[in-house]
Amino acid sequence: MYDYVDGKVDWMAFGLPVEGDDGPFLGSQVVPVPTCDVGQTVADARRALKVAGDNAVVVVEAEGLAVGDVDGEALAGQPDETVLLEVLRPVPSTVRPSVTVASVSGGGAPLVTTSDGRLLGRASVDAAPGDEGHDHEGHDDEGHDHDGPAFDLDGYESELTAVLTAVEEHFGDAEPSPEELRAFLHDRLVAEGRSAEEVDQLLDSLAADEPG
Amino acid sequence: MFESVTRDRVRQLIDEGAQVVEVLERRQYRLAHLPGAVHLPAWELTRARADELDRDRPVVVYCFDNL
């Protein structure tokens, strides 16, 4: 058994094909943007802009996390040796590669990042963050579980891999009944700090999702 | 147990005939899934459902992302 831990978002972030009712997705329309590290200087940013022929450079920290950007205007008048961390503008709203192109319509080309804030590039479509599938700090999307983006990350989804392992370890070769499975999941989620009421609601919603 | 794999390895496994399983809810699966992926929600991963898979082929399981 193999666990593709980066999951569907990672797959779509690289514009790889998917099947299903929705799309096209932003991940297939991402173009590179010039970047500098937070520790680099204004002179470095000017060079990066010149080489890329772009009007802004995205400032990233370790592991490609986007923290802000600087454009030519922000660089104007700044001493060459000024560290970018001192002049950057906090990163604007970003969007996930897993949202549909249609969901981000309206002037602009937002930065595209993974759920954990890693910069992928800029949307090549004329798009701007709307109410769907974006955030300001590179964390997961919250509160969009009905009319929101194509892929909303409810809290439980991020734990599925761990749950799979836990179920396997707990039940071994025995096949649990639905009631046993529910009781196990209930206890586990409550032990992790969720309220019993919240867990019951969650499990009810999962039970309503019958296999298709 | 599970062996963690990267996107490139997944592509390789698919090329080699692996079965791909999405464990998210049905709505998520219906909207988009990896090519050829079957839907097997995590909360239904009982032995009976697992028996629907071909034991002679590798199985790649995926979720939404790594959070």
Side-chain angles (χ1 to χ4, degrees), chain A residues 184-197 199-200:
Chain A
F184 171 75
L185 293 172
H186 184 280
D187 291 347
R188 175 187 167 89
L189 293 171
V190 169
E192 290 176 351
R194 296 173 188 244
S195 73
E197 181 181 6
V199 171
D200 282 334

Side-chain angles (χ1 to χ4, degrees), chain A residues 18-37:
Chain A
V18 292
E19 298 172 348
D21 296 340
D22 219 344
F25 298 97
L26 215 52
S28 64
Q29 305 197 26
V30 176
V31 295
V33 290
T35 62
C36 282
D37 294 333

Side-chain angles (χ1 to χ4, degrees), chain A residues 45-61:
Chain A
R46 288 194 180 109
R47 273 193 294 274
L49 288 180
K50 188 174 181 180
V51 169
D54 214 320
N55 59 5
V57 59
V58 180
V59 182
V60 298
E61 59 179 7

